């Protein structure tokens, strides 16, 4: 079965973006960023919520187009409508059945892009298998939390730690199953 990997940049205080979706303090160059871009090539499927997909519009993404051209996209939403949707972009209702179908499908592990509300829902339902945090040496103070409003608790064990320039660290954890 395919695993869902939540591979995400975060601040030391647990935010994936600051107030007003500001990401300007996150590292955008260096060996860690190069590694992240290389790692993305290993995924053939990406899942995200509506807000994460629409966040891409601020960086040139056109509605209906894939953010990662080599990946099949599943945007989980109750409300988003897209005209002229690319064949690699699918809209789906956020249901446990749809996630289970994707995990049972063929292909690489699944990249969970973005986070916040959708990542919290996946966490609450025991559907994130691997957490890989690109830990940036910054404190944002407010913004979008790593797992939104989730209050689910886990004890994690560090599988891997990679150090990069500019104080960036990649921390990889396996999440235990409780469902």
């Amino acid at each position: 079965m395919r695993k869902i990997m939540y591979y995400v940049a975060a601040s030391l205080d647990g935010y994936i973006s600051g107030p007003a979706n500001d990401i300007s303090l996150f590292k955008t160059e260096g060996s860690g960023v190069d590694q992240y871009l290389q790692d993305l090539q290993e995924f053939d499927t990406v899942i995200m919520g509506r807000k994460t997909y629409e966040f891409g519009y601020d960086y040139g993404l056109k509605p209906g187009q894939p953010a990662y051209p080599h990946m099949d996209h599943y945007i989980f939403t109750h409300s988003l409508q897209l005209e002229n949707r690319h064949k690699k972009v699918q809209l789906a209702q956020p249901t446990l059945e749809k996630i289970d179908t994707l995990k049972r499908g063929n292909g690489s592990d699944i990249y969970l892009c973005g986070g916040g509300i959708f990542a919290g829902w996946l966490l609450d339902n025991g559907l994130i298998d691997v957490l890989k945090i690109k830990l940036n040496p910054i404190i944002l103070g407010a913004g979008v939390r790593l797992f939104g409003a989730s209050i689910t608790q886990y004890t994690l064990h560090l599988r891997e730690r990679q150090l990069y320039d500019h104080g960036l660290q990649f921390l990889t954890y396996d999440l235990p199953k409780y469902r």
Side-chain angles (χ1 to χ4, degrees):
M1 184 178 303
R2 300 161 81 185
K3 293 180 179 181
I4 293 178
M5 178 185 282
Y6 186 19
Y7 194 167
V8 62
S11 65
L12 290 170
D13 55 346
Y15 293 96
I16 62 173
S17 70
N21 292 321
D22 181 16
I23 58 169
S24 64
L25 294 179
F26 285 96
K27 303 300 175 199
T28 59
E29 58 184 35
S31 59
V33 174
D34 293 342
Q35 183 62 55
Y36 166 69
L37 295 173
Q38 181 180 334
D39 290 348
L40 287 183
Q41 299 307 308
E42 297 182 20
F43 294 101
D44 62 13
T45 303
V46 59
I47 60 175
M48 64 185 78
R50 175 190 57 82
K51 288 182 180 181
T52 297
Y53 184 73
E54 291 177 336
F55 176 78
Y57 300 168
D58 293 340
Y59 298 90
L61 180 66
K62 302 292 184 217
Q65 296 304 301
Y68 306 96
H70 71 283
M71 293 186 211
D72 291 327
H73 291 56
Y74 292 87
I75 293 105
F76 288 83
T77 179
H78 293 289
S79 60
L80 184 63
Q81 299 293 317
L82 296 172
E83 295 181 21
N84 304 318
R85 198 168 23 91
H86 190 278
K87 67 181 181 178
K88 287 194 166 280
V89 176
Q90 302 297 318
L91 300 176
Q93 292 290 314
T95 65
L96 299 178
E97 294 78 19
K98 182 61 179 175
I99 298 294
D100 188 58
T101 298
L102 287 173
K103 289 182 78 165
R104 291 184 185 282
N106 294 324
S108 70
D109 286 342
I110 299 165
Y111 169 45
L112 168 57
C113 178
I117 296 168
F118 185 55
W121 178 78
L122 290 169
L123 182 75
D124 291 345
N125 285 286
L127 294 169
I128 297 174
D129 302 289
V130 178
L131 172 61
K132 188 167 186 173
I133 296 178
K134 298 175 291 182
L135 189 62
N136 283 252
I138 59 176
I139 295 173
L140 297 175
V144 177
R145 293 182 49 206
L146 187 62
F147 292 104
S150 173
I151 58 170
T152 298
Q153 297 180 344
Y154 278 97
T155 298
L156 305 177
H157 299 282
L158 184 65
R159 178 183 1 142
E160 184 177 13
R161 178 175 171 231
Q162 300 164 291
L163 302 175
Y164 295 97
D165 49 4
H166 308 296
L168 188 65
Q169 298 181 58
F170 287 14
L171 305 172
T172 305
Y173 301 90
D174 291 315
L175 276 76
K177 292 294 155 215
Y178 70 88
R179 282 187 349 142

